């Protein structure tokens, strides 16, 4: 249980770091509300962003999300003997978490270049 919790925490920390890799560009900080509304502003913001930084953010971010997801699955296995239904709900939620959020991470990184 402790190992699963540590894996999930490390995954979240790494994911936060990869999000910062995308949010802080050479031209300034990315603001989701302002920059997605104005495509020209967003183009200028990411014009000098190194492609390597975006790719690393996607790849490392997916790894981090899998770490967090498998940590959640481990925690659900720990909780199952105490409450079978809650453990199963946590397990299914952990499985559901991995695929869509990893796809989202790759999609958001792929549209930037």
């Amino acid at each position: 249980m402790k190992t699963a919790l540590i894996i999930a925490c490390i995954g979240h920390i790494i994911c936060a770091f990869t999000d910062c890799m995308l949010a802080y560009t050479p031209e300034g900080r990315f603001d989701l509300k302002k920059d997605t509304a104005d495509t020209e502003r967003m183009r200028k913001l990411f014009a000098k962003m190194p492609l390597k930084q975006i790719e690393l953010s996607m790849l490392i971010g997916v790894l981090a999300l899998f770490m967090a997801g498998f940590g959640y699955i481990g925690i659900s296995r720990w909780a199952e003997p105490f409450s079978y239904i809650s453990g199963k709900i946590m397990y299914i939620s952990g499985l559901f978490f991995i695929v869509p959020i990893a796809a989202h991470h790759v999609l958001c990184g792929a549209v930037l270049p």
Side-chain angles (χ1 to χ4, degrees), residues 9-50:
C9 289
I10 292 171
H12 277 287
I13 291 167
I14 293 171
C15 190
F17 177 72
T18 60
D19 288 345
C20 288
M21 288 173 69
L22 291 177
Y24 295 98
T25 70
E27 297 296 315
R29 187 176 186 283
F30 174 70
D31 184 349
L32 187 66
K33 199 171 201 177
K34 291 179 189 175
D35 296 327
T36 54
D38 184 3
T39 56
E40 185 61 28
R41 178 179 158 97
M42 190 169 168
R43 185 189 67 76
K44 287 179 183 175
L45 189 66
F46 287 105
K48 294 182 182 175
M49 177 74 112

Side-chain angles (χ1 to χ4, degrees), residues 45-92:
L45 189 66
F46 287 105
K48 294 182 182 175
M49 177 74 112
L51 187 58
K52 183 177 181 178
Q53 185 172 342
I54 296 169
E55 290 172 345
L56 281 174
S57 173
M58 287 189 314
L59 294 174
I60 296 170
V62 169
L63 171 72
L65 290 167
F66 271 89
M67 289 173 65
F70 287 128
Y72 293 144
I73 290 170
I75 293 169
S76 74
R77 290 289 157 218
W78 171 82
E80 196 171 311
F82 301 104
S83 173
Y84 180 78
I85 294 172
S86 295
K88 287 296 180 189
I89 290 171
M90 290 171 66
Y91 180 73
I92 292 167

Side-chain angles (χ1 to χ4, degrees), residues 66 94-104:
F66 271 89
L95 288 175
F96 181 74
F97 169 81
I98 293 172
V99 176
I101 200 73
H104 164 75

